[in-house]
Amino acid sequence: MSDGFVDRRQVGRRFSRVAASYDRADFFAREIDRRMQERLDYVKVEPGRILDLGCSRGGSFAGLAARYPAAELLGIDISPAMLQAGLPVRPGWQRWLNLGRQNGVQRLAGDAAKLPLNSQSTAVVWSNLLLHWLDDPLPALAEVYRVLEVGGLLMFSTLGPDSLKELRSAFADGYAHTQRFIDMHDLGDMLVACGFADPVMDMEVLTLTYDSFDEMLGELRAAGSGCAMKARRHGLTGRQAWAGARDAYERLRSNGKLPATFEVVYGHAWKAAPKQTADGRAIIRFDAPRRK
């Protein structure tokens, strides 16, 4: 998965274009965030620092800050426009140009595969609906492992292979029309390969319904969720291709509505103490004897 399937610049461009209005179109991301936050009810952790990786405008900040008021919050996103759009606007002031610390949150523009953080500097890494935008999640997961302190927690959501299956099947032109979504078992294998201990993976299928094909496409575009694969059509899609796709999708109408499937994958894993040194030598730990 390292041949370069995803157009990284296109991902950044799409989200930058919708940054100013993203808070009116991110209902799906907010719903998944809510479901992820509920999962924290079953996790015991008192983090000193939390990294929200792929934070967009910072939709998860309020919930994380309320749950962990003593924690330092840090958000990293590929799109400076998204980070900028999430900053508060004060009456009589222009929006802050410095993407530094505002309202107790540090915001940084950065690459998930090259995090600008020291090793073992973060207690929790939180990532909502980021991984399917990456060409290969493995380098990003390895970076998460690096920056997590021993005993630290990774919690993430992403989309699985059945997501937008109706849209993929509606086109017959040979081009990509959705992202490439990775199976949750493959993601679990990646976590193990990076050194995470006992990863837990699960999924659920959510189906959104729409009155029309164009309504669905408009909602995806407003959320920055258009296809950013290199195999997408780079020119304009012809009328005949659009007509064929609309007709194919229309055949899926049920109870007056058109469906759009989203396979939501959830995962969490802990960074355990290393079992070997960087050069491959085994680490053997001896517990000190208890004093009577």
Side-chain angles (χ1 to χ4, degrees), residues 285-291:
R285 292 180 172 79
F286 296 94
D287 293 330
R290 295 181 179 179
R291 294 181 179 180

Side-chain angles (χ1 to χ4, degrees), residues 212-287:
S212 71
F213 180 72
D214 290 334
E215 179 191 8
M216 180 200 62
L217 290 180
E219 198 165 86
L220 289 173
R221 289 167 181 155
S225 296
C227 179
M229 301 297 291
K230 290 182 178 179
R232 71 188 187 281
R233 185 189 288 273
H234 289 264
L236 295 176
T237 301
R239 291 182 180 180
Q240 186 174 355
W242 279 119
R246 284 191 181 89
D247 289 344
Y249 216 108
E250 188 62 33
R251 290 194 287 271
L252 302 175
R253 188 177 292 276
S254 177
N255 297 321
K257 297 286 187 177
L258 296 178
T261 298
F262 293 87
E263 178 185 335
V264 185
V265 174
Y266 303 94
H268 73 265
W270 300 88
K271 179 175 179 176
K275 296 181 179 179
Q276 62 181 29
T277 63
D279 59 5
R281 290 177 295 172
I283 297 174
I284 301 175
R285 292 180 172 79
F286 296 94
D287 293 330

Side-chain angles (χ1 to χ4, degrees), residues 29-226:
R30 283 186 280 111
E31 175 60 23
I32 302 307
D33 172 77
R34 184 188 66 79
R35 295 177 185 225
M36 286 179 65
Q37 298 266 359
E38 288 180 348
R39 289 163 183 257
L40 287 174
D41 292 342
Y42 307 98
V43 175
K44 292 184 179 181
V45 61
E46 295 181 3
R49 174 192 261 183
I50 301 171
L51 166 62
D52 184 347
L53 185 56
C55 65
S56 64
R57 288 179 49 140
S60 296
F61 291 162
L64 293 171
R67 185 178 290 270
Y68 306 113
E72 174 190 356
L73 279 177
L74 169 64
I76 293 180
D77 199 87
I78 191 177
S79 169
M82 274 288 190
L83 296 169
Q84 187 75 36
L87 294 178
V89 179
R90 300 182 180 180
W93 290 59
Q94 292 185 346
R95 193 178 296 274
W96 291 91
L97 296 179
N98 179 12
L99 295 179
R101 189 179 304 280
Q102 300 291 341
N103 285 6
V105 180
Q106 180 80 12
R107 293 169 170 84
L108 295 173
D111 185 344
K114 297 178 182 178
L115 295 176
L117 301 175
N118 293 331
S119 297
Q120 299 191 41
S121 61
T122 304
V124 171
V125 175
W126 171 274
S127 184
N128 182 23
L129 298 176
L130 166 70
L131 295 181
H132 55 276
W133 294 110
L134 305 179
D135 192 68
D136 182 355
L138 186 60
L141 294 174
E143 273 291 86
V144 168
Y145 185 85
R146 179 184 67 81
V147 304
L148 275 175
E149 60 192 36
V150 174
L153 170 69
L154 164 64
M155 180 169 281
F156 68 88
S157 65
T158 187
L159 296 181
D162 274 350
S163 298
L164 296 172
K165 61 184 180 180
E166 299 91 352
L167 183 59
R168 280 197 304 277
S169 64
F171 285 92
D173 56 5
Y175 291 96
H177 291 276
T178 72
Q179 290 305 104
R180 178 191 50 140
F181 303 114
I182 297 175
D183 185 83
M184 73 173 184
H185 299 98
D186 293 330
L187 289 168
D189 291 342
M190 291 181 191
L191 291 171
V192 172
C194 291
F196 284 98
D198 302 321
V200 176
M201 307 292 300
D202 66 300
M203 57 81 74
E204 63 179 336
V205 176
L206 303 179
T207 302
L208 304 184
T209 58
Y210 298 90
D211 291 327
S212 71
F213 180 72
D214 290 334
E215 179 191 8
M216 180 200 62
L217 290 180
E219 198 165 86
L220 289 173
R221 289 167 181 155
S225 296

